[in-house]
Amino acid sequence: MSNFLSERICQLSVSATLEMSKRTRELKAEGHDIIDLSIGEPDFNTPVSVKEAAKKAIDHNQTHYTPVSGLPELRKAIAAKLLQENRIEYAPDQIVVSNGAKQSIANAMLCLVNPGDEVVIPAPYWVSYPEIAKLAGGSVVKIPTSVESNFKVTPGQVRSVLNHKSKVFVFSSPSNPTGSSYTYEELRALAEVFAGFPNLFLISDEIYEYIIFNGSHTSLAIFPGIKNRVVTINGLSKGCAMTGWRLGYMAADAALAKACDKLQGQITSNASSISQMAAVEGIRLNPQNSSEIREMVQAFKQRRDIVLDYMKEIPEMKTCLPDGAFYIFPDVRALFGKSNGSVKITNDMDLSMYLLNEARVAVVPGAAFGNENCIRISYATSLENLEKAMRRIIVSVKKLS
Ligand code: PMP
Ligand code: GLU
């Protein structure tokens, strides 16, 4: 049979993060002793009160369809959270609950982008942004950054790429894969540039807002001049250790929220009613009022510091101080051209494969995030695993000359 698959799907790349963790799971199942630093998800349990709320939902038969955009009480609770914690005012009808932040980003992109519209993405970026943009027919414009600028874009860089075809600008702060986060001042300066492009929408992915160690989180939508054009993306996957529950949301202009409701209504309908009831409890938790979340964030900070200590022994891997999330994104260019006698490292993929085969540590090549000079290391695993992995990486890198 000739290729029957649509061009749309043929042009789509496989998610490198999911692919690498799938490969690692397979190798482990075959009995290989691999330490997985490829996937980015909290290795902590969902808070007890959230699990209790879900059990109660099942026992009370809250097992039916809900409104596509989510239960009214959940949307109300999200609006209250956004007002109290993020200082952004949204009415419940501006909120659409979905099966994870990933779906919310896809909803927004598909509702905003026409074929040929430009989707501007600072690189490094989370793997799915350009792919979702492509799926929507967008033409992706990347803004490169480097470790020297903590992988952050400047207002000047943004101004130089924006034009009348730019429809969406999408970024995450704190960032996956770099851990960098934009300060209030930096966002304010970017907001001033965005204000000059009235047709541009800003997708602000704030999924790591609680996992921040230096400074505090600022939401892009607090800047009044651009608020109507900001799509605030968030969810419970990272901050509440709920990746498997599939619960995310967006908050945006009411007409855009209504369009996303229409799209979701034809594709997936509502997110799981049980996860939504769990989220009514989860959404009220934060690092200030939940010891479980606070302890998780403190553990990530401790791990970051320990990983960075080990990194001092590998000067060929140049990294900045991540402010949050649970990744480091070292520039590994200094290792390109080196060899252990049998394997030559020419790029990020070679190095990732070398670390997998030689150190038995899984990482993700940076090219998947838009920077082929880097690799991504996730420290969302136990200290014991991390120390073992870092020692193995050091030994393997020392074999290269
Ligand atoms: N945005 C970023 C930056 C992420 O790292 C992730 C996690 N893969 C997501 C969105 C998706 O989150 P969710 O599990 O809620 O779909
Ligand atoms: N946030 C995670 C990562 O980047 C989850 C995997 C995914 O959805 O891409 O590794």
Side-chain angles (χ1 to χ4, degrees):
M1 212 186 329
S2 60
N3 188 4
F4 56 87
L5 296 172
S6 67
E7 281 173 29
R8 186 185 309 116
I9 198 66
C10 292
Q11 281 169 12
L12 199 70
S13 306
V14 169
S15 163
T17 46
L18 297 182
E19 188 61 17
M20 202 63 180
S21 75
K22 178 173 152 220
R23 181 81 195 109
T24 310
R25 263 201 300 270
E26 286 165 359
L27 286 170
K28 278 176 150 175
E30 288 166 16
H32 297 279
D33 164 31
I34 310 278
I35 303 175
D36 188 3
L37 306 186
S38 70
I39 191 75
E41 69 164 330
D43 52 320
F44 289 84
N45 294 328
T46 298
V48 171
S49 62
V50 176
K51 292 193 281 197
E52 289 305 325
K55 289 180 204 166
K56 213 162 118 193
I58 296 173
D59 288 341
H60 290 183
N61 296 308
Q62 286 174 300
T63 53
H64 299 274
Y65 289 135
T66 74
V68 171
S69 288
L71 290 163
E73 61 197 292
L74 177 57
R75 281 190 281 163
K76 222 170 117 193
I78 292 170
K81 178 254 181 245
L82 289 169
L83 185 62
Q84 280 153 25
E85 295 180 6
N86 306 79
R87 292 185 292 123
I88 347 172
E89 203 173 335
Y90 287 109
D93 72 347
Q94 295 183 277
I95 290 161
V96 181
V97 175
S98 67
N99 297 280
K102 196 181 279 194
Q103 185 180 21
S104 295
I105 297 163
N107 279 346
M109 202 80 88
L110 287 163
C111 289
L112 286 170
V113 175
N114 278 317
D117 284 348
E118 288 186 358
V119 176
V120 180
I121 315 180
Y125 43 71
W126 179 46
V127 288
S128 295
Y129 297 155
E131 299 309 312
I132 295 172
K134 268 164 41 188
L135 208 52
S139 150
V140 173
V141 177
K142 300 175 184 173
I143 311 181
T145 65
S146 68
V147 67
E148 285 77 23
S149 63
N150 280 355
F151 297 110
K152 292 195 244 186
V153 281
T154 62
Q157 275 180 300
V158 174
R159 196 179 295 107
S160 71
V161 302
L162 291 181
N163 63 74
H164 69 281
K165 283 187 285 183
S166 316
K167 187 63 189 282
V168 169
F169 179 98
V170 53
F171 75 114
S172 58
S173 174
S175 154
N176 177 1
T178 67
S180 296
S181 103
Y182 287 87
T183 63
Y184 172 87
E185 285 306 328
E186 286 165 342
L187 286 179
R188 195 171 58 87
L190 288 175
E192 269 173 31
V193 177
F194 297 143
F197 293 86
N199 298 323
L200 180 73
F201 277 75
L202 300 316
I203 300 185
S204 177
D205 182 349
E206 305 183 12
I207 191 93
Y208 293 101
E209 72 168 331
Y210 291 157
I211 308 172
I212 188 156
F213 322 123
N214 304 332
S216 57
H217 174 72
T218 302
S219 289
L220 186 65
I222 64 167
F223 301 103
I226 57 167
K227 187 196 165 197
N228 292 346
R229 295 185 280 117
V230 176
V231 183
T232 302
I233 301 285
N234 212 326
L236 285 90
S237 290
K238 314 290 159 144
C240 213
M242 288 178 69
T243 46
W245 300 73
R246 309 309 303 129
L247 210 292
Y249 59 89
M250 61 169 255
D253 168 80
L256 177 57
K258 200 169 160 199
C260 291
D261 175 283
K262 178 165 78 168
L263 176 66
Q264 195 169 296
Q266 293 289 22
I267 298 182
T268 60
S269 300
N270 59 275
S272 150
S273 59
I274 298 154
S275 296
Q276 288 191 58
M277 285 310 292
V280 172
E281 167 60 15
I283 198 74
R284 100 179 162 79
L285 304 181
N286 59 44
Q288 282 71 47
N289 66 18
S290 159
S291 57
E292 287 159 289
I293 296 181
R294 192 163 52 246
E295 280 159 21
M296 175 175 78
V297 176
Q298 281 164 354
F300 284 135
K301 180 172 189 298
Q302 187 194 15
R303 293 171 186 183
R304 177 201 66 173
D305 293 342
I306 286 172
V307 168
L308 289 179
D309 270 347
Y310 278 105
M311 290 298 288
K312 288 184 195 142
E313 293 184 44
I314 322 176
E316 299 90 341
M317 292 191 180
K318 207 166 147 193
T319 189
C320 51
L321 178 73
D323 306 302
F326 31 66
Y327 311 102
I328 59 166
F329 197 65
D331 185 316
V332 294
R333 245 177 309 177
L335 291 171
F336 297 169
K338 297 198 174 193
S339 156
N340 71 345
S342 54
V343 180
K344 188 163 179 206
I345 310 297
T346 54
N347 55 33
D348 57 329
M349 179 54 99
D350 288 348
L351 181 64
S352 302
M353 291 321 290
Y354 174 72
L355 292 178
L356 188 62
N357 296 328
E358 181 73 26
R360 283 161 294 123
V361 175
V363 301
V364 187
F369 305 92
N371 188 327
E372 67 266 15
N373 294 326
C374 298
I375 57 170
R376 189 188 79 171
I377 298 178
S378 159
Y379 52 86
T381 187
S382 70
L383 259 188
E384 191 193 342
N385 268 347
L386 278 176
E387 296 196 325
K388 203 153 108 187
M390 292 311 296
R391 279 197 294 266
R392 287 185 187 180
I393 293 178
I394 291 168
V395 170
S396 303
V397 169
K398 285 205 191 319
K399 289 184 188 162
L400 299 171
S401 57

